[in-house]
Amino acid sequence: MSHTIKHRPLTRLLGLALLGLGLAGCAVGPDYQRPKVDVSTRFKQMDGWKQASPAHTSLSANWWDGYGDAELSALLAQVSVSNQNVASYQAAYQKARALVSAANAGFFPTVSASAASSRSGGNSTSTSRSNSAGLSASWEPDLWGKLRRTAEQDSASAQASQAELAAATLSAQSTLAQDYFQLRVLDEQIRLYQQTVSAYQRYQQIIQQQYAVGSTSRATLSTAQTQLESARAAVLDVQWQRAQLEHAIAVLIGKPPAEFSISAKPLAYTIPAIPVGLPSQLLERRPDIAYAERNMAAANAAIGVAKAAYFPDLTLSASGGYSSSAWRKLLSAPNAVWSTGLELSGTVLDFGATAASVRQAEASYAGQLATYRQTVLSALQEVEDYLVELHTLEQEIATQRLAAGSAQDAERQYRNQYQAGMINYLNVATAQATSLSQQQSLLSLIKQQLVSSVELLVALGGGWDAASLNRQQAD
């Protein structure tokens, strides 16, 4: 007798659970299918592009290694660890994963335990005691797939959060790499200006001596002095720009600017061979596209959640335990109590509120679909833009090197002619200004080439792969 009473609530709950499982077999709302997007079979600007070797058909996770700069590699490796914006996105992703765990917990019963003891009495009554202990369980079978759609929505949102984290990390790395290359070009500009200042100082001293003995005019001396001071001012202008880039890099790796510095060094660079691949590969290689696609999947699941509100919810419950006035007799068969229950609840009349929620969810999905397609189009444009820019810059730099070399040669010729007394100093000053300008233009093009190469690598996804989303969610 005792054995039967003790297990009757559990038996009934099991029977009701099997009933709920039998009813649960459908999930309202559309099943998600990734929509097709129109992409070309190849990039328009691939004509004339220098292809990567067959051994490098995809980008490495450490996409910056191709530059061969150990200092840059060390800095970029710190972004995912120390950058505070990245840390914020990391926290958001962990929160999203916790929501997935909470959603998955909804598939299982909730079990509670209780124990209580009380005494009661009055002036005209005797004191009584009541003791109880028991277990209770409740479960909501997923009859219409509401919980499944909610889990789908939360899982897709978590994957979107992970893709957003990857996009934020890649963006910070891109900014750091661009700042670093700009800083290195400024180092070269400072070196160039310092050499120019030294040359101008020598000329200014010679002309000062000539003016002192009356062999040259005041105008010539003023021209030399103007050139010298202008070059000195240019050095100062570049120095504060470099300092600000150094501060920006410090913040990107999570350090106070006062505790970080980068030593100057000569400009040495390599433009890596970049495996561009096919336009369709961007759908798997760019975290911003994955972010838009996962948000679209979450919006699709939300339609099912909204439609489930049309149907009633079923809740199964059971409880069992013991109740007695004496603790020593509490756990005995005569004191056993139990109950089982089934509750079916749903909205009878809501004046169109549920229908409005469904329309809202469908409109949200349509918006996410448009966002996804626009993200793909923007990604394709970015790659095309940087391809044509890099390809053109390579030719432009080659031409500008010739121009800078010719300007330097002209400067030497005018300087020799001036020293031979064949021409006045104004001709030398003009040639020097032209040579400096041509060298500055060359450095500017080199800077743009380095920055654009980073932008192309990032536009291709920076070595990221959407398959990492599935691996992470499976952990």
Side-chain angles (χ1 to χ4, degrees), residues 302-337:
I303 296 174
V305 175
K307 287 186 174 182
Y310 283 122
F311 304 95
D313 295 326
L314 174 65
T315 302
L316 307 178
S317 61
S319 63
Y322 297 90
S323 179
S324 173
S325 60
W327 278 110
R328 66 179 182 275
K329 297 179 180 180
L330 180 62
L331 302 178
S332 60
N335 295 323
V337 293

Side-chain angles (χ1 to χ4, degrees), residues 120-127:
S120 62
N123 294 332
S124 59
T125 59
S126 59
T127 301

Side-chain angles (χ1 to χ4, degrees), residues 220-234:
T220 300
L221 177 61
S222 297
T223 298
Q225 188 68 36
T226 299
Q227 277 192 309
L228 174 60
E229 298 306 328
S230 177
R232 284 172 173 168

Side-chain angles (χ1 to χ4, degrees), residues 181-182 185 442-452:
F181 285 130
Q182 291 181 71
V185 171
L442 177 60
L443 287 175
S444 179
L445 289 173
I446 291 172
K447 177 188 72 174
Q448 189 57 49
Q449 184 186 38
L450 287 164
V451 168
S452 296

Side-chain angles (χ1 to χ4, degrees), residues 142-376:
D142 194 20
L143 298 181
W144 320 113
K146 178 181 178 180
L147 296 179
R148 273 171 287 168
R149 294 303 190 199
T150 300
E152 287 177 16
Q153 181 182 6
D154 289 342
S155 179
S157 295
Q159 290 175 325
S161 180
Q162 186 192 359
E164 189 176 29
L165 167 62
T169 304
L170 185 58
S171 177
Q173 290 170 339
S174 171
T175 301
L176 191 152
Q178 293 179 52
D179 287 350
Y180 179 84
F181 285 130
Q182 291 181 71
L183 181 145
R184 287 303 177 208
V185 171
L186 289 181
D187 282 342
E188 195 68 12
Q189 287 181 329
I190 290 172
R191 183 191 65 80
L192 175 61
Y193 276 126
Q194 288 174 339
Q195 290 177 348
T196 301
V197 167
S198 297
Y200 287 176
Q201 281 179 325
R202 290 193 297 270
Y203 269 100
Q204 195 270 343
Q205 290 171 357
I206 293 172
I207 294 172
Q208 179 71 48
Q209 293 171 356
Q210 293 174 343
Y211 176 73
V213 297
S215 61
T216 192
S217 67
R218 177 71 181 178
T220 300
L221 177 61
S222 297
T223 298
Q225 188 68 36
T226 299
Q227 277 192 309
L228 174 60
E229 298 306 328
S230 177
R232 284 172 173 168
V235 172
L236 296 174
D237 185 66
V238 176
Q239 284 176 338
W240 69 254
Q241 293 179 49
R242 186 193 190 280
Q244 289 187 346
L245 286 170
E246 191 176 71
H247 301 163
I249 293 172
V251 172
L252 284 166
I253 60 172
K255 291 185 177 181
E259 298 179 8
F260 176 79
S261 63
I262 298 177
S263 300
K265 67 178 184 181
L267 178 63
Y269 67 95
T270 299
I271 302 295
I274 302 173
V276 177
L278 301 175
S280 59
Q281 292 177 317
L282 288 185
L283 305 183
E284 302 299 328
R285 284 164 54 167
R286 283 189 52 137
D288 60 336
I289 292 179
Y291 172 73
E293 188 272 332
R294 289 289 81 198
N295 278 333
M296 183 172 53
N300 182 82
I303 296 174
V305 175
K307 287 186 174 182
Y310 283 122
F311 304 95
D313 295 326
L314 174 65
T315 302
L316 307 178
S317 61
S319 63
Y322 297 90
S323 179
S324 173
S325 60
W327 278 110
R328 66 179 182 275
K329 297 179 180 180
L330 180 62
L331 302 178
S332 60
N335 295 323
V337 293
W338 59 269
S339 69
T340 58
L342 181 152
E343 179 184 345
L344 194 64
S345 62
T347 301
V348 177
L349 183 64
D350 65 3
F351 299 97
T354 299
S357 295
V358 172
R359 292 197 304 271
Q360 179 182 356
E362 291 173 340
S364 178
Y365 172 79
Q368 293 295 342
L369 173 60
T371 297
Y372 169 67
R373 287 175 171 164
Q374 183 60 44
T375 302
V376 173

